[in-house]
Amino acid sequence: MALRNLAASVPDAELRAKLTPDYVMGCKRILISSDFYPALRRPNVQVVASGLAKVDGNTLTAKDGTSCEVDAIVLATGFHAVDAPIAGLIFDADGRSLAQAWNGDMRALRGTTIAGFPNLCMIIGPNTGLGHNSMIYMIESQLNYIVDYVATLDRTGAAALDTRPGAQQAWCDDIERRMASTVWTTGGCVSWYLNAAGRNPTLWPGSTIGFRRATRRLDPGEYELILQRQGTGR
């Protein structure tokens, strides 16, 4: 369907070839637009598909050696989605930042809590993003989970809950297994969904209903109860 639309929208075979991906549809985020192809067909637009190699003043040089003069450069190269800038501002009891703990590979239990960081709950954490459906549904599911997290603290009288490393690892291993057959992994592209190791820490590999079931309530067995606040004697 997408190829038929491309053929109908771009009669020029050379331009159409430049606009035809060499990977499976969905491997990168799909652009839904009714004016993208018409814009590229305008006589004052040139599509250079080889990528930018060098900027020298107002001269751009492409990887194929072609160059052109420009007044402005707009970089639309994707999203920085495989890490979270706030991770550098969150520290554990030993002074280690969350960014250091992740070491370039975000991981969390049910996309919400992280081993070694008691009482830290995240919204839209690792592997909660969607290539479909609404993120609001995912956020609501996480909020339900966090409410049960706080209720568990209140019910047990614990000062904090710390995610058990084994529970987090089991959750991430299951996501890895399910992710292996998805188009984001097998589609033949390099996308902003993947980190430097080629792992997808960004997207949820299942349905939103499945995620809601997984976060319906907290499993106390996945957490260590910390009964006293360290250093307070209380």
Side-chain angles (χ1 to χ4, degrees), residues 3 15 97 106 114 130 176 182 201-202 220:
L3 290 174
L15 177 58
S97 72
M106 298 191 302
I114 299 136
L130 296 176
E176 283 288 287
T182 65
T202 310

Side-chain angles (χ1 to χ4, degrees), residues 100-111:
Q100 291 172 320
W102 275 341
N103 192 27
D105 191 14
M106 298 191 302
R107 293 173 182 268
L109 173 62
R110 305 183 188 275

Side-chain angles (χ1 to χ4, degrees), residues 159-214:
L161 296 174
D162 193 3
T163 305
R164 294 186 183 276
Q168 179 174 294
Q169 187 63 48
W171 173 261
C172 293
D173 287 348
D174 182 61
I175 286 181
E176 283 288 287
R177 178 186 60 79
R178 297 166 66 188
M179 193 73 75
S181 61
T182 65
V183 68
W184 308 306
T185 302
T186 65
C189 73
V190 177
S191 73
W192 52 263
Y193 296 136
L194 308 178
N195 62 19
R199 201 180 76 84
N200 190 330
T202 310
L203 298 176
W204 169 246
S207 69
T208 53
I209 294 175
F211 186 78
R212 175 149 295 188
R213 283 198 298 264

Side-chain angles (χ1 to χ4, degrees), residues 32-191:
I32 301 175
S33 172
S34 59
D35 53 17
F36 181 64
Y37 291 151
L40 298 184
R41 289 176 53 195
R42 292 173 56 173
N44 62 336
V45 173
Q46 179 185 4
V47 176
V48 180
S50 65
L52 181 63
K54 184 174 66 172
V55 178
D56 184 11
N58 64 336
T59 300
L60 305 185
T61 302
K63 291 179 181 178
D64 63 3
T66 60
S67 62
C68 63
E69 302 294 314
V70 301
D71 296 318
I73 302 172
V74 179
L75 299 176
T77 53
F79 296 88
H80 201 55
V82 296
D83 58 9
I86 197 173
L89 304 176
I90 299 171
F91 297 87
D92 65 11
D94 297 322
R96 181 184 60 160
S97 72
L98 179 55
Q100 291 172 320
W102 275 341
N103 192 27
D105 191 14
M106 298 191 302
R107 293 173 182 268
L109 173 62
R110 305 183 188 275
T112 308
T113 62
I114 299 136
F117 290 81
N119 284 2
L120 171 64
C121 297
M122 301 187 72
I123 298 295
I124 317 181
N127 291 114
T128 59
L130 296 176
H132 59 82
N133 218 301
S134 170
M135 280 303 301
I136 295 175
Y137 192 86
M138 300 291 279
I139 292 169
E140 290 174 343
S141 299
Q142 287 189 278
L143 289 174
N144 289 337
Y145 188 76
I146 292 171
V147 167
D148 198 35
Y149 186 106
V150 174
T152 301
L153 287 173
D154 186 55
R155 184 175 63 254
T156 61
L161 296 174
D162 193 3
T163 305
R164 294 186 183 276
Q168 179 174 294
Q169 187 63 48
W171 173 261
C172 293
D173 287 348
D174 182 61
I175 286 181
E176 283 288 287
R177 178 186 60 79
R178 297 166 66 188
M179 193 73 75
S181 61
T182 65
V183 68
W184 308 306
T185 302
T186 65
C189 73
V190 177
S191 73

